[in-house]
Amino acid sequence: MFSVTVRDHMMIAHSFRGEVFGPAQRLHGATFVVDATFRRADLDADGVVVDIGLATEQLKAVLAELTYRNLDDEPAFAGLNTTTEVLARTVADRLADRVRAGDLGSGARGLAGITVTLHESHIAWASYERSL
């Protein structure tokens, strides 16, 4: 399996519901380093997994929909705790939608999967892996 990873970041505000979250139940901010890894079994006709430039642009576009926002106010997250895990799934699903729409080029239609990792810090991160 071949893979290509691109990286960006996002800054959000949110709060959590539930005693398990302790002080994070209050509104707080988070900055995530976001890695999106695209996988495929064989390289495309040009010898690549995915166009790195297009993958970078599309990750930036997906993150622009989330960054500098209070996620508590976003209708897409109504009733959800926007944990790192939930946000990793959201970014992966939105990237998958863009792959299907052709936004990462026609060669990206051969991708097998995407993994999105959100790094909360240098010692903690969460990932979501999905097939395409």
Side-chain angles (χ1 to χ4, degrees):
M1 188 67 65
F2 293 94
S3 67
V4 164
T5 301
V6 295
R7 175 175 277 184
D8 204 332
H9 74 284
M10 68 177 172
M11 298 175 2
I12 56 99
H14 61 171
S15 61
F16 297 129
R17 291 173 310 287
E19 290 298 318
V20 69
F21 294 105
Q25 293 176 83
R26 293 188 299 273
L27 185 64
H28 62 280
T31 300
F32 297 101
V33 172
V34 182
D35 291 331
T37 301
F38 300 87
R39 296 181 323 278
R40 66 188 302 149
D42 295 308
L43 300 177
D44 72 7
D46 296 312
V48 299
V49 172
V50 68
D51 180 313
I52 291 176
L54 290 176
T56 301
E57 287 174 15
Q58 294 306 311
L59 177 59
K60 182 176 284 306
V62 166
L63 297 182
E65 299 169 352
L66 302 170
T67 200
Y68 295 118
R69 288 179 170 73
N70 179 350
L71 301 183
D72 295 349
D73 297 336
E74 294 296 314
F77 299 114
L80 291 175
N81 278 325
T82 50
T83 62
T84 305
E85 296 88 340
V86 166
L87 293 175
R89 180 184 62 207
T90 298
V91 172
D93 289 347
R94 291 181 182 186
L95 283 171
D97 291 343
R98 289 168 180 263
V99 167
R100 283 191 294 277
D103 297 335
L104 280 89
S106 60
R109 293 201 193 318
L111 291 169
I114 298 173
T115 301
V116 171
T117 302
L118 271 65
H119 301 263
E120 292 190 47
S121 71
H122 65 287
I123 59 171
W125 55 90
S127 298
Y128 178 75
E129 183 176 337
R130 60 159 294 152
S131 57
L132 290 171

